């Protein structure tokens, strides 16, 4: 019988073809896996997609393999830093199409798609993807997920227009949207959304509405989180008072607000007694309205325990800890938040055995919920690292702290386009505070592991970069955007800041526009930041010591000074000064321990007054102690470094803390030579500036201010203790510079009554000169507490906003024509407003105003004034004053003075400097040469040659 082999061969052919297709799909897939683990994510994507196509060609594709391919395509898309917008959208659309065909999706896929799209700006394509995701999540019963809120918040059509939708339901939805922004760490977007709710309810005259109070409370919560306690206090106290006014002082919401307000009072103001009173009241409410088993009651218990632990009162904290522990252990469904708080309490009482399992459990849940980059994860990982450190698991602690450091630095770098100016400063300070434990660990770990010094160096570089350049970067983005609306808003913002400066120079009773200007600034900042975030943001560059090392020469080192506290008490004796020394051929930086805050204070100050320059830098025996003060400074600061400086001729250094007030060039060695005789010194705001090449400059334009008439408005010439004296030497100084530079550059000179603040402000933007030279009085008031004043230029009994303002940028500045009239009115409280036309111009230019300006063309600003280097010192973040202001305004170099110099020597130094500059056309070489000239002329008088400092 004839057999039918045709069908048999056909079936066999189909089977072999299917097997070959499967084999090909698997082969390509495993190649993708190999590339993925090598972190070659774009290559991995290509293989995964090819594997996906091969799988789809099969007659019966394997469902689990398809799902795996789509999952890995999304993961590789998220991981790749080089992937384009088109590729990202294509991959997300591909995955969403697959999930739509199955009418289901998993949270991990939603998270990966959302994370991938967050890299790029708003577009019709990504909006459609978000909309499809939202539908899929609704089909998959995921509407209660935090990711659902995040997806909804990114659909612009879904972001409600409160003005057009006047229902409570819409306001509630807007509150949910704001909450989602908060969860994404988009603090300013959340802020704006909450304020939109508040604005609508104010216009609707519903300021007693619970939604109004809720939005006000949430803003207070955000401000507390980012460390802006002063503003948080206003919002939370307002909610407290409104609830009490409505006889709602016994509600759960009142207790929730009281708990958060207690945190502000404790950490922001040190008011433990009022904080304790609020916690006790909250506990009483929770017990009556809820139960003792409720998480809110337990949280309040732990809050009470924490108040006592902050003040080392373990015996008083123990009853609260015991009760909270008992309640949590009896509750099988205790929340992550409660376990987190309890484990934190265990940490504070050093019970690491109990803290570790709780923290490990928590961190796993947090990672599943929000990933490894969220602040919640970073905080929890920081606690795990601390436990590992304390129980001696050093390798585990090292890995954990490296991840914590990476996350915190990344968040610091991102704050530039996330927050308004004051909130940005608060958050950066908060994050810097969180870096203290990693710093403490790496300092200790250096004895075991030299790589720890590289971790420390990277931390310091990124702290200083964020502190100094985030605002500058925003200005550059705005100015370079070509966006007419954005530029208009920025002009309005600058104008409002001028109004604030004018208002603050008035007596208190005449400040009518201050609050409205602050409100307008807040509104404009929100608009500007929202517009900037809608465009594509360049990825933040994380700077590192490796980058610096590549730029060093064989005979050069970089020195990065920093401070840290040995513990949380932050006492002077425990604030340590260290330096990291990096050379071309060293594998890692070298860490050198120096001295503590108490010791440097003793060296620089004597009975709270400055030690004379001659004592510090020339050598003098102080009668009281018999100590040679110049030797003290050398032994403390320089001697410990010398063994690392063999064959070194050039030193680029960045000071920290009180070292900003030290003239390094004048430090005297045992052989009676200054260290600047042996080394070429270069002061930098951060040693990351080493990578910027030192270029010759062509000076085409100079603006000069000097010989200023501070009585210009009144026509009076007399001076008294409430007036600034005319500086005759400054007129000859600028006239000599004009004479020398006229044949090289276009010179504008402003003197006498013509040296006005208005003329200075006209140099803003594209009109900024190559060099800006200002010879005038400078002022700086050291603090907001009268008892803490370190330096007063005038003996004034009456207070002024400028003098006591909490923002240090308002407490330092420069004086221009007519300043005496404004100054006397402001400080003496004279009420006759007819004598001063404040709108015309105050003659007082604060660092705050300078910081809002932009000098893109300016290579050098010379501040030939008394002690222009002064300002509030924020340890590793730099000097908050004129230094910071001009750097923020885009100036490349600053030439400033550490102390007052006589007119004759100032003019001599400046004359030599400008002579060198027009000959050498190099700012750094010209400064170095001028300083050497002055040192030769006045070898026994460092007060006449070492005061000026050039900072890049």
């Amino acid at each position: 019988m004839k057999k039918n082999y045709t069908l048999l061969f056909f079936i066999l052919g189909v089977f072999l073809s299917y097997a070959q297709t499967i084999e090909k799909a698997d082969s390509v897939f495993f190649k993708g896996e190999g590339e993925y683990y090598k972190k070659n994510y774009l290559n991995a994507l290509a293989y995964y997609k090819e594997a996906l196509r091969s799988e789809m060609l099969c007659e019966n594709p394997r469902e689990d393999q398809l799902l795996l391919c789509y999952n890995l395509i999304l993961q590789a898309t998220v991981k790749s830093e080089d992937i384009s917008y088109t590729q990202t959208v294509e991959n997300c659309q591909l995955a969403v199409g697959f999930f739509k065909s199955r009418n289901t999706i998993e949270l991990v896929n939603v998270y990966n798609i959302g994370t991938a799209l967050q890299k790029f700006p708003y577009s019709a394509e990504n909006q459609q993807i978000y909309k499809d995701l939202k539908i899929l999540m609704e089909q998959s019963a995921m509407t209660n997920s935090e990711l659902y809120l995040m997806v909804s918040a990114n659909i612009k059509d879904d972001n409600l227009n409160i003005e057009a939708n006047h229902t409570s339901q819409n306001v509630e939805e807007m509150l949910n949207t704001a909450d989602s922004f908060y969860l994404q760490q988009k603090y300013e977007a959340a802020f704006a959304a909450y304020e939109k709710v508040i604005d609508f309810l104010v216009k609707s005259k519903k300021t007693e509405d619970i939604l109004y109070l809720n939005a006000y409370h949430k803003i207070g919560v955000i401000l507390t989180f980012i460390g802006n306690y002063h503003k948080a206090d206003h919002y939370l106290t307002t909610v407290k008072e409104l609830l009490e006014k409505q006889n709602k002082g016994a509600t759960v919401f009142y207790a929730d607000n009281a708990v958060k307000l207690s945190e502000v009072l404790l950490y922001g103001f040190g008011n433990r007694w009022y904080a304790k009173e609020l916690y006790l009241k909250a506990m009483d409410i929770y017990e009556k309205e809820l139960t003792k088993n409720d998480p809110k009651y337990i949280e309040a218990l732990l809050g009470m325990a924490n108040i006592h632990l902050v003040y080392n009162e373990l015996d008083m904290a123990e009853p609260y800890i015991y009760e909270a522990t008992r309640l949590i252990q009896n509750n099988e469904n205790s929340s992550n938040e409660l376990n987190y708080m309890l484990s934190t309490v265990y940490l504070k009482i050093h019970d690491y055995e109990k803290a570790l399992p709780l923290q490990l459990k928590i961190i796993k849940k947090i990672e599943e919920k929000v990933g490894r980059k969220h602040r919640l994860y970073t905080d929890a990982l920081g606690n795990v690292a601390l436990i590992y450190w304390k129980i001696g698991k050093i390798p585990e602690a090292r890995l954990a702290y490296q991840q914590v450091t990476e996350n915190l630095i990344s968040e610091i770098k991102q704050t530039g386009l996330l927050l308004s100016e004051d909130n940005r400063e608060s958050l950066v300070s908060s994050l810097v505070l969180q870096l203290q434990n990693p710093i403490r660990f790496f300092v200790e770990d250096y004895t075991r592991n030299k790589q720890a010094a590289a971790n420390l160096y990277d931390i310091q570089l990124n702290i200083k970069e964020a502190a100094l350049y985030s605002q500058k970067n925003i200005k550059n983005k705005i100015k370079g955007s070509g966006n007419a609306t954005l530029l208009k808003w920025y002009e309005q913002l600058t104008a409002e800041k001028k109004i604030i400066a004018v208002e603050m120079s008035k007596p208190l009773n005449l400040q009518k526009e201050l609050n409205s200007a602050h409100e307008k600034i807040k509104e404009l900042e929100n608009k500007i930041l929202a517009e900037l975030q809608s465009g594509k943001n360049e990825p933040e560059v994380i700077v590192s010591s490796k980058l610096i090392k590549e730029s060093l020469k064989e005979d050069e080192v970089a020195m990065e000074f920093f401070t840290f506290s040995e513990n949380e008490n932050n006492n002077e004796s425990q604030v340590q000064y260290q330096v990291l020394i990096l050379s071309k051929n060293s594998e890692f930086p070298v860490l050198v321990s120096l001295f503590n805050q108490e010791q440097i204070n003793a060296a620089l100050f004597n009975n709270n007054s400055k030690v004379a320059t001659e004592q510090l830098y020339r050598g003098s025996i102080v009668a009281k102690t018999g100590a040679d003060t110049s030797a003290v400074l050398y032994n403390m600061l320089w001697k410990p470094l010398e063994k690392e400086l063999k064959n070194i001729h050039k030193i680029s250094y960045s000071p920290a803390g009180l070292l900003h007030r030290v003239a390094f060039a004048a430090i005297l060695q045992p052989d009676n030579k200054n260290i600047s005789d042996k080394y070429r010194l270069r002061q930098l705001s951060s040693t990351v500036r080493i990578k910027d090449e030192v270029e010759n400059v062509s000076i085409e334009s100079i603006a000069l201010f000097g010989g200023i008439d501070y009585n210009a408005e009144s026509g009076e010439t007399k001076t008294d203790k409430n007036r600034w004296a005319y500086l005759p030497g400054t007129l000859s100084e600028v006239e000599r510079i004009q004479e020398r530079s006229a044949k090289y550059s276009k010179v504008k000179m402003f003197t006498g009554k013509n040296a006005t603040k208005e003329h200075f402000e006209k140099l803003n933007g594209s009109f900024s000169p190559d060099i800006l030279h200002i010879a005038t009085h400078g002022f700086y008031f050291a603090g907001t507490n009268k008892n803490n004043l370190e330096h007063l230029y005038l003996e004034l009994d009456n207070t002024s906003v400028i003098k006591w303002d909490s923002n240090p940028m308002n407490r330092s500045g420069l004086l221009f024509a007519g300043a005496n009239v404004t100054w006397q009115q402001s400080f003496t409280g004279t009420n006759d407003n007819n004598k001063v036309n404040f709108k015309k111009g105050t003659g007082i230019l604060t660092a705050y105003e300078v910081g809002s300006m932009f000098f893109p063309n300016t290579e050098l600003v010379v501040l030939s004034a008394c002690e222009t280097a002064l300002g509030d010192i924020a340890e590793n973040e730099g000097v908050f004053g004129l230094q910071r202001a001009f750097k923020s305004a885009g100036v490349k170099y600053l030439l400033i003075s550490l102390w007052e110099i006589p007119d004759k020597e100032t003019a001599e130094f400046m004359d030599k400097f400008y002579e060198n500059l027009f000959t050498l056309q190099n700012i750094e070489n010209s400064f170095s040469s001028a300083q050497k000239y002055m040192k030769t002329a006045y070898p026994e008088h460092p007060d006449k040659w070492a005061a000026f400092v050039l900072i890049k």
Side-chain angles (χ1 to χ4, degrees):
M1 185 174 74
K2 186 176 180 181
K3 294 184 179 178
N4 188 352
Y5 290 105
T6 305
L7 179 60
L8 181 61
F9 283 127
F10 174 76
I11 293 170
L12 182 60
V14 169
F15 175 77
L16 289 173
S17 175
Y18 174 77
Q20 288 170 352
T21 306
I22 290 291
E23 184 180 358
K24 180 183 177 183
D26 288 345
S27 173
V28 174
F29 176 83
F30 288 124
K31 287 181 181 178
E33 289 283 79
E35 293 296 317
Y36 185 92
Y37 288 115
K38 291 177 187 175
K39 298 186 178 180
N40 298 327
Y41 299 117
L42 286 178
N43 291 345
L45 274 169
Y47 283 122
Y48 288 146
K49 285 186 173 181
E50 188 179 341
L52 186 63
R53 284 191 291 270
S54 297
E55 191 71 37
M56 295 293 287
L57 289 173
C58 297
E59 187 173 347
N60 295 303
R62 296 167 293 177
E63 187 72 13
D64 58 341
Q65 189 65 15
L66 289 174
L67 183 60
L68 182 59
C69 283
Y70 282 113
N71 284 341
L72 290 170
I73 286 170
L74 290 175
Q75 284 183 34
T77 301
V78 169
K79 293 275 189 181
S80 176
E81 295 179 358
D82 304 319
I83 194 166
S84 68
Y85 167 72
T86 304
Q87 288 174 299
T88 299
V89 169
E90 179 186 300
N91 294 345
C92 291
Q93 286 174 334
L94 187 69
V96 168
F98 172 77
F99 296 127
K100 283 173 70 176
S101 69
R102 269 64 175 175
N103 291 321
T104 187
I105 193 169
E106 294 180 359
L107 280 175
V108 66
N109 305 126
V110 176
Y111 176 80
N112 283 332
I113 292 170
T115 303
L117 293 177
Q118 286 291 320
K119 298 178 185 178
F120 300 98
Y122 168 86
S123 71
E125 291 92 346
N126 66 30
Q127 286 297 288
Q128 188 57 53
I129 294 170
Y130 280 126
K131 289 176 181 178
D132 289 339
L133 278 179
K134 185 177 178 184
I135 293 169
L136 280 167
M137 294 185 80
E138 288 166 354
Q139 291 172 345
S140 304
M142 295 178 180
T143 53
N144 291 327
S145 165
E146 290 170 358
L147 285 174
Y148 180 77
L149 287 175
M150 291 182 189
V151 168
S152 300
N154 280 289
I155 300 173
K156 288 210 170 185
D157 295 344
D158 282 8
N159 289 344
L160 302 171
N161 182 345
I162 297 292
E163 302 297 334
N165 300 284
H166 291 191
T167 67
S168 293
Q169 181 181 354
N170 285 338
V171 178
E172 287 180 9
E173 289 183 26
M174 192 61 191
L175 280 171
N176 288 337
T177 300
D179 289 340
S180 72
F181 282 134
Y182 174 74
L183 289 168
Q184 295 176 79
Q185 295 179 272
K186 294 182 177 179
Y187 306 118
E188 208 67 32
F191 223 94
Y194 289 129
E195 288 187 327
K196 214 170 185 181
V197 173
I198 291 169
D199 289 344
F200 164 65
L201 292 169
V202 167
K203 289 174 184 176
S204 303
K205 298 182 179 179
K206 295 182 178 179
T207 53
E208 294 187 358
D209 192 289
I210 190 64
L211 296 176
Y212 175 87
L213 295 173
N214 196 0
Y216 232 74
H217 170 75
K218 292 287 179 62
I219 289 177
V221 171
I222 291 176
L223 289 167
T224 304
F225 179 76
I226 65 176
N228 195 337
Y229 294 118
H230 284 274
K231 280 193 174 181
D233 178 51
H234 162 73
Y235 280 93
L236 297 171
T237 299
T238 299
V239 173
K240 174 182 176 291
E241 290 171 352
L242 286 172
L243 286 170
E244 288 171 347
K245 185 180 176 182
Q246 298 173 25
N247 295 318
K248 294 180 180 177
T251 61
V252 171
F253 181 36
Y254 180 92
D256 293 345
N257 189 75
V259 166
K260 192 54 63 176
L261 181 56
S262 299
E263 185 180 332
V264 170
L265 292 167
L266 181 64
Y267 295 110
F269 303 94
N271 191 340
R272 62 183 298 200
W273 304 112
Y274 190 21
K276 187 175 179 179
E277 180 185 324
L278 287 174
Y279 264 125
L280 289 171
K281 190 167 185 178
M283 287 170 61
D284 185 55
I285 292 170
Y286 290 145
E287 186 176 356
K288 290 176 181 176
E289 298 297 319
L290 305 170
T291 68
K292 283 191 173 183
N293 289 317
D294 192 274
K296 290 179 184 289
Y297 178 82
I298 301 171
E299 182 181 348
L301 278 173
L302 292 170
M304 280 295 297
N306 195 52
I307 288 177
H308 292 298
L309 290 174
V310 166
Y311 290 90
N312 298 315
E313 298 169 345
L314 179 58
D315 56 333
M316 298 181 74
E318 279 181 342
Y320 296 105
I321 297 170
Y322 175 81
E323 179 66 4
T325 304
R326 186 185 66 79
L327 292 171
I328 290 172
Q329 288 174 344
N330 289 341
N331 185 352
E332 294 180 359
N333 299 314
S334 59
S335 67
N336 274 349
E337 289 78 8
L338 286 178
N339 282 319
Y340 182 80
M341 285 190 71
L342 180 60
S343 63
T344 303
V345 168
Y346 285 146
L347 268 176
K348 288 189 176 182
I349 63 175
H350 306 148
D351 193 340
Y352 305 119
E353 186 179 337
K354 290 180 181 177
L356 183 58
L358 280 174
Q359 285 289 347
L360 292 174
K361 180 181 177 183
I362 292 161
I363 200 168
K364 185 177 180 181
K365 289 184 178 179
I366 291 174
E367 182 179 358
E368 291 170 356
K369 198 172 184 180
V370 295
R372 290 188 166 200
K373 293 294 182 181
H374 198 280
R375 175 79 83 86
L376 291 174
Y377 179 85
T378 305
D379 290 349
L381 186 60
N383 286 339
V384 170
L386 179 61
I387 295 169
Y388 281 144
W389 178 19
K390 296 304 181 184
I391 64 177
K393 291 191 172 183
I394 300 303
E396 291 87 346
R398 187 179 299 137
L399 287 172
Y401 272 132
Q402 285 170 348
Q403 181 67 53
V404 168
T405 300
E406 182 183 322
N407 284 8
L408 289 173
I409 287 175
S410 178
E411 191 172 347
I412 288 172
K413 300 292 281 188
Q414 290 168 15
T415 58
L417 289 178
L418 290 177
L419 295 169
S420 59
E421 189 174 338
D422 60 340
N423 286 342
R424 182 169 59 248
E425 295 291 355
S426 295
L427 183 57
V428 168
S429 296
S430 169
L431 294 171
V432 168
L433 190 62
Q434 278 193 275
L435 281 165
Q436 289 302 299
N437 265 342
I439 290 171
R440 292 179 190 117
F441 171 79
F442 289 130
V443 167
E444 182 196 287
D445 194 37
Y446 179 71
T447 58
R448 298 177 292 257
N449 172 36
K450 299 306 177 188
Q451 188 177 350
N455 297 123
L456 288 165
Y457 207 115
D458 295 350
I459 289 171
Q460 299 309 320
L461 287 179
N462 285 285
I463 287 174
K464 290 182 180 181
E465 282 293 284
L468 292 172
Y469 296 103
S470 58
Q471 192 176 355
K472 179 179 172 181
N473 290 341
I474 289 176
K475 290 178 190 174
N476 287 333
K477 286 177 184 290
I478 292 170
K479 297 293 183 180
S481 68
N483 183 324
T485 302
L486 198 55
L487 291 167
K488 179 183 176 182
W489 287 341
Y490 189 74
E491 286 178 11
Q492 292 173 351
L493 180 69
T494 304
E496 293 299 329
K497 287 188 174 184
K498 287 181 184 177
I499 289 172
I500 286 180
V502 171
E503 288 294 297
M504 293 191 68
S505 65
K506 296 179 183 179
L508 290 169
N509 63 311
L510 296 179
Q511 294 173 7
K512 307 297 184 185
E513 300 179 47
L514 193 60
N515 289 336
S516 64
H518 277 300
E519 289 301 314
K520 287 175 184 175
I521 284 175
K522 184 165 62 175
E523 180 185 345
L524 286 164
E525 283 184 328
N526 286 339
K527 286 181 179 179
I528 289 169
L529 290 164
E531 187 70 19
L532 285 171
Q533 289 179 50
S534 69
K536 181 177 179 179
N537 294 326
E538 296 297 322
E540 291 287 355
V541 178
I542 307 298
V543 292
S544 69
S545 57
K546 289 181 181 178
L547 188 68
I548 312 304
K549 190 164 67 168
E550 290 170 2
S551 303
L552 290 172
K553 294 181 172 57
E554 295 287 338
D555 66 341
E556 181 182 9
V557 296
M559 289 186 182
E560 194 70 55
F561 290 90
F562 70 97
T563 67
F564 76 100
S565 178
E566 289 184 315
N567 58 41
E568 294 178 3
N569 294 334
N570 219 30
N571 295 328
E572 279 196 349
S573 61
Q574 279 145 358
V575 175
Q576 300 294 321
Y577 281 71
Q578 311 260 314
V579 63
L580 292 152
I581 304 174
L582 183 65
S583 62
K584 180 76 173 178
N585 298 317
S586 59
E587 184 179 5
F588 302 113
V590 174
L591 176 65
V592 180
S593 179
L594 297 172
F595 43 79
N596 63 36
Q597 187 83 4
E598 199 171 45
Q599 291 167 321
I600 189 67
N601 262 331
L604 297 181
F605 303 98
N606 183 13
N607 294 325
N608 293 323
S609 64
K610 293 180 182 176
V611 175
T613 310
E614 300 253 331
Q615 289 179 313
L616 272 176
Y617 304 112
R618 188 174 167 221
S620 173
I621 303 299
V622 179
K624 188 173 181 179
T625 63
D628 184 337
T629 50
S630 62
V632 169
L633 191 58
Y634 167 78
N635 289 329
M636 283 174 55
L637 177 56
W638 203 255
K639 186 178 179 180
L641 314 181
E642 287 188 332
K643 66 179 180 180
E644 306 299 335
L645 302 178
K646 292 176 182 176
N647 303 317
I648 297 299
H649 300 103
K650 184 177 180 181
I651 298 171
S652 299
Y653 67 96
S654 175
L658 286 175
L659 295 183
H660 285 283
R661 298 184 183 174
V662 171
F664 278 72
I667 294 174
L668 198 64
Q669 301 176 112
D671 59 3
N672 280 327
K673 290 185 177 181
N674 305 108
I675 63 169
S676 54
D677 294 324
K678 187 174 182 180
Y679 307 102
R680 169 82 181 274
L681 300 175
R682 184 185 184 208
Q683 183 169 334
L684 306 172
S685 55
S686 162
T687 55
V688 75
R689 302 271 69 84
I690 290 172
K691 66 183 178 61
D692 303 335
E693 291 185 10
V694 179
E695 299 176 351
N696 287 348
V697 292
S698 176
I699 309 301
E700 298 179 0
S701 59
I702 300 178
L704 303 169
F705 289 81
I708 298 172
D709 181 0
Y710 304 112
N711 300 316
E713 290 292 316
S714 66
E716 299 178 21
T717 58
K718 70 176 183 177
T719 60
D720 58 34
K721 70 176 184 178
N722 291 333
R723 291 180 177 272
W724 296 89
Y726 177 70
L727 299 172
T730 62
L731 180 61
S732 57
E733 178 183 327
V734 295
E735 286 177 338
R736 178 66 176 145
I737 295 169
Q738 182 194 38
E739 180 185 338
R740 182 175 291 284
S741 57
K743 61 182 178 181
Y744 300 102
S745 307
K746 182 180 179 181
V747 182
K748 289 183 179 180
M749 186 167 74
F750 304 94
T751 61
K753 296 179 181 181
N754 198 39
T756 62
K757 177 180 173 181
E758 290 76 18
H759 277 134
F760 176 86
E761 290 172 336
K762 287 178 182 177
L763 301 174
N764 188 31
S766 59
F767 298 102
S768 60
D770 295 322
I771 292 179
L772 180 53
H773 184 108
I774 309 167
T776 184
H777 286 294
F779 67 89
Y780 162 65
F781 297 112
T784 56
N785 185 326
K786 189 170 182 178
N787 296 322
N788 291 335
L789 276 180
E790 175 188 305
H791 181 76
L792 283 178
Y793 290 89
L794 300 176
E795 296 176 2
L796 300 170
D797 297 325
N798 297 289
T799 60
S800 160
V801 175
I802 289 177
K803 191 173 176 182
W804 309 122
D805 191 71
S806 60
N807 185 347
M809 304 295 276
N810 280 324
R811 290 186 270 107
S812 61
L814 300 167
L815 300 185
F816 290 85
N820 267 339
V821 183
T822 305
W823 193 271
Q824 190 176 36
Q825 291 278 326
S826 179
F827 278 84
T828 61
T830 304
N831 293 333
D832 187 358
N833 196 32
N834 294 325
K835 292 185 179 179
V836 182
N837 184 350
F838 286 103
K839 288 292 183 186
K840 186 175 179 181
T842 67
I844 299 172
L845 179 75
T846 65
Y848 176 79
E849 292 175 273
V850 174
S852 68
M853 298 178 76
F854 191 48
F855 299 105
N857 308 321
T858 304
E859 294 285 335
L860 171 69
V861 168
V862 179
L863 300 180
S864 178
C866 306
E867 302 177 290
T868 44
L870 294 180
D872 278 15
I873 294 174
E875 299 305 336
N876 301 317
E877 296 173 65
V879 179
F880 282 75
L882 290 167
Q883 282 191 51
R884 189 183 187 89
F886 278 105
K887 289 170 190 172
S888 172
V891 173
K892 292 181 183 176
Y893 287 93
L894 266 175
L895 183 52
I896 54 181
S897 60
L898 293 170
W899 56 77
E900 186 176 354
I901 316 162
D903 285 351
K904 176 182 174 294
E905 285 76 19
T906 297
E908 192 175 355
F909 176 89
M910 291 300 169
D911 188 51
K912 197 66 184 175
F913 171 72
Y914 280 101
E915 178 188 338
N916 294 335
L917 185 58
F918 290 116
T919 304
L920 303 173
Q921 293 191 322
N922 184 290
I923 292 171
E924 292 189 22
N925 291 342
S926 299
F927 172 78
S928 180
S929 180
Q931 192 176 66
K932 284 180 181 177
Y933 169 84
M934 293 295 290
K935 185 162 51 173
T936 302
Y938 304 99
E940 298 298 316
H941 298 280
D943 55 311
K944 295 180 179 179
W945 65 261
F948 282 111
V949 178
L950 181 70
I951 304 174
K952 184 174 183 180

